[in-house]
Amino acid sequence: MWPSFSFFGLFDIYFFNIFLVLAAFLGSFIFWRRLHQNANYKEFIIFDIFLLSIFLGFVGGRFIFILLNWPRFGWNVLSWFDMIHYPGIAVIFAIAIAGFSCKLQLAKQKIAKLEIMDYWAQATCFGLIFYSMGLFFAGEHSGYLTNSFLGINFPGLAMKNHPLQLYNAVFYLGLYIYLNYLEKNYRTYNWYRGNRSSADTGFLVGVFLFASGLYSLITLTLGPAQFYWYNFSLDWIIYLLVTFIGGSILLQHSAHAIHRKN
């Protein structure tokens, strides 16, 4: 919508980059705050792991975005690093890479608790609010044409389109609030805790993945696919996989699954 603004006529500042920095910074703050509230962990080691996972997720997500949009980038190497004129990250891949990297490094440090991944889910969800707002201001990833009152005229488009970026921002804000609510209450859910003295951690990351995957599947009806390989859309496969992984985590650590193991 408003990709940039002039800084006293000296240079242009791009909103997407501002919101991308905010996403990383505020997401890191949420993770640090949750970690700081629990004194049982090696705070600085785990926080370093989280920061490294963000970096690897960003680099990996950007790399995959370039591959999936190769006609736009080609061998123009400078465009690979130009987030101003060629913005974009394959966010679902960035999240997957960051999450896998975080879990792998935690295992390397012999920190196996899924509670850390619950913190990661809350931080990632919060960061996605600002990432989505950045895409809105950049005018990227809008939805299909619509006559709905929700439609917005994006620059370069003659008719109104679904503002999928705003839908995403509202969704992740609601999901973040819900995750905070669950964090305080899920240990009391009988279907999850059962007769155990304490419920398994990992509930929040399961809900985050399941809800995000399911929401992304639904919004495919409102906007074009983002990921193609030789003209074949990968979005349905990716989002189904995310939904399945989230559901599997919930079921694997539920009371019913624990009872069957015993």
Side-chain angles (χ1 to χ4, degrees), residues 213-214 216-217 234-246:
L214 188 60
S216 298
L217 284 170
L234 302 175
D235 293 56
W236 288 95
I237 298 173
I238 293 169
Y239 298 141
L240 278 172
L241 182 61
V242 172
T243 306
F244 174 78
I245 292 173

Side-chain angles (χ1 to χ4, degrees), residues 96-114:
I97 293 169
F100 180 75
S101 170
C102 187
K103 196 163 189 322
L104 197 65
Q105 293 174 78
L106 287 172
K108 188 176 180 180
Q109 293 291 333
K110 297 182 180 179
I111 304 173
K113 283 197 173 183
L114 272 175

Side-chain angles (χ1 to χ4, degrees), residues 208-236:
F208 170 68
L209 293 175
F210 181 82
S212 298
L214 188 60
Y215 167 79
S216 298
L217 284 170
I218 294 172
T219 53
L220 279 177
T221 62
L222 301 177
Q226 300 296 324
F227 308 114
Y228 286 91
W229 187 256
Y230 290 104
N231 296 322
F232 178 76
S233 173
L234 302 175
D235 293 56
W236 288 95

Side-chain angles (χ1 to χ4, degrees), residues 4-249:
S4 64
F5 64 93
S6 177
F7 186 77
F8 299 107
L10 299 176
F11 53 86
D12 290 337
I13 297 178
Y14 287 80
F15 279 107
F16 177 78
N17 293 337
I18 293 175
F19 279 98
L20 193 63
V21 171
L22 282 173
F25 176 78
L26 294 176
S28 299
F29 173 75
I30 293 296
F31 185 86
W32 173 82
R33 190 185 68 173
R34 294 294 296 113
L35 192 63
H36 188 67
Q37 291 170 346
N38 192 325
N40 298 326
Y41 298 112
K42 303 172 183 177
E43 185 175 317
F44 293 105
I45 293 177
I46 297 177
F47 191 64
D48 286 346
I49 288 174
F50 178 75
L51 292 178
L52 179 59
S53 72
I54 288 180
F55 174 75
L56 293 176
F58 176 83
V59 172
R62 178 64 173 175
F63 178 72
I64 293 174
F65 180 81
I66 292 169
L67 288 180
L68 295 174
N69 295 273
W70 188 252
R72 180 182 175 190
F73 291 91
W75 290 105
N76 181 8
V77 179
L78 291 179
S79 69
W80 300 356
F81 303 94
D82 187 353
M83 291 294 293
I84 296 176
H85 300 100
Y86 299 88
I89 299 173
V91 64
I92 194 71
F93 288 100
I95 291 172
I97 293 169
F100 180 75
S101 170
C102 187
K103 196 163 189 322
L104 197 65
Q105 293 174 78
L106 287 172
K108 188 176 180 180
Q109 293 291 333
K110 297 182 180 179
I111 304 173
K113 283 197 173 183
L114 272 175
E115 186 173 8
I116 303 299
M117 295 306 297
D118 282 345
Y119 300 164
W120 170 86
Q122 290 175 287
T124 301
C125 188
F126 193 73
L128 284 172
I129 300 170
F130 295 91
Y131 173 77
S132 300
M133 290 301 300
L135 288 177
F136 172 73
F137 282 104
E140 297 281 339
H141 297 180
S142 59
Y144 291 135
L145 297 175
T146 180
N147 293 321
S148 167
F149 71 96
L150 295 172
I152 292 179
N153 288 110
F154 287 89
L157 299 176
M159 299 180 67
K160 291 183 178 181
N161 293 66
H162 281 290
L164 276 180
Q165 315 94 322
L166 290 184
Y167 299 166
N168 294 345
V170 172
F171 168 76
Y172 286 117
L173 174 60
L175 181 57
Y176 174 73
I177 294 172
Y178 185 54
L179 289 177
N180 284 338
Y181 169 80
L182 289 177
E183 199 278 330
K184 299 174 183 177
N185 295 281
Y186 80 87
R187 294 171 182 84
T188 65
Y189 298 160
N190 288 331
W191 70 268
Y192 189 75
R193 177 180 175 177
N195 296 322
R196 291 171 291 176
S197 59
S198 63
D200 280 359
T201 54
F203 188 81
L204 300 187
V205 69
V207 170
F208 170 68
L209 293 175
F210 181 82
S212 298
L214 188 60
Y215 167 79
S216 298
L217 284 170
I218 294 172
T219 53
L220 279 177
T221 62
L222 301 177
Q226 300 296 324
F227 308 114
Y228 286 91
W229 187 256
Y230 290 104
N231 296 322
F232 178 76
S233 173
L234 302 175
D235 293 56
W236 288 95
I237 298 173
I238 293 169
Y239 298 141
L240 278 172
L241 182 61
V242 172
T243 306
F244 174 78
I245 292 173
S248 297
I249 291 173

